Amino acid sequence: GPALWTFPDGVVRVAGVLSFGDPSCVDYDHFARTDYDNEWLSALLPPEDVCGGIPETGLCDGPRVVRCEPGETEATSSRRLVVEDCAPIGWICEIGEDGRAGCASGACDPERTFEGRCTDDHVAEWCEGGQPRQRRCIPCGERCGYADDGLGNYCR
């Protein structure tokens, strides 16, 4: 898969590709640079989609909100990728009940305890050190559910 990086101009680009890594999806991975083969790779790719499949509702990339905004026309080239960093104001990125990513204060709500909860079977959410945390389970081929008394609800 791609190693994405937010460049100084605010655009998220592929900086490398996964070469090999730990099957748990949470340990060490090794990436290969793609710039050496840029000319060859470019010839194989369809016209550039600046959003790379990122939805208008956005997604969370650590403390950053990443979303694709439509342009004035329906053409793919008129879309633009927007990255909003929540960290400078001490907030975090969080997916709201409406499914849209946005900056949130990061305070834990009463339902998000250490034991956590599952939002459907795809995302584990819990409170750690007063801050909400979440982990998407599907990228690692897992589902959210009760793990044990020490871990609570988590990807398994």
Side-chain angles (χ1 to χ4, degrees):
L4 302 176
W5 185 263
T6 305
F7 284 77
D9 62 1
V11 176
V12 177
R13 295 185 179 96
V14 175
V17 294
L18 182 65
S19 178
F20 64 95
D22 191 281
S24 74
C25 293
V26 294
D27 288 314
Y28 295 103
D29 292 320
H30 300 271
F31 292 87
R33 290 175 53 172
T34 58
D35 56 336
Y36 295 124
D37 300 310
N38 193 33
E39 186 177 325
W40 177 74
L41 289 168
S42 295
L44 300 173
L45 297 174
E48 182 179 4
D49 175 4
V50 297
C51 294
I54 294 172
E56 288 181 34
T57 55
L59 53 82
C60 291
D61 176 23
R64 295 183 302 254
V65 177
V66 182
R67 69 180 172 277
C68 187
E69 291 185 349
E72 294 178 16
T73 67
E74 291 296 315
T76 300
S77 61
S78 71
R79 299 184 326 157
R80 66 187 186 109
L81 194 64
V82 176
V83 178
E84 179 183 2
D85 192 356
C86 306
I89 58 173
W91 285 22
I92 62 168
C93 178
E94 194 169 77
I95 306 295
E97 289 184 18
D98 61 355
R100 299 186 69 79
C103 290
S105 66
C108 286
D109 63 55
E111 291 182 29
R112 190 181 295 188
T113 65
F114 166 77
E115 292 178 347
R117 65 181 179 196
C118 295
T119 56
D120 55 59
D121 61 351
H122 306 299
V123 179
E125 297 181 337
W126 68 96
C127 189
E128 185 177 308
Q131 296 295 311
R133 304 281 188 240
Q134 68 176 207
R135 179 171 181 242
R136 294 178 349 147
C137 303
I138 289 184
C140 292
E142 300 172 324
R143 292 180 169 264
C144 185
Y146 187 78
D148 59 42
D149 290 339
L151 197 55
N153 288 297
Y154 198 65
C155 300
R156 52 192 183 101

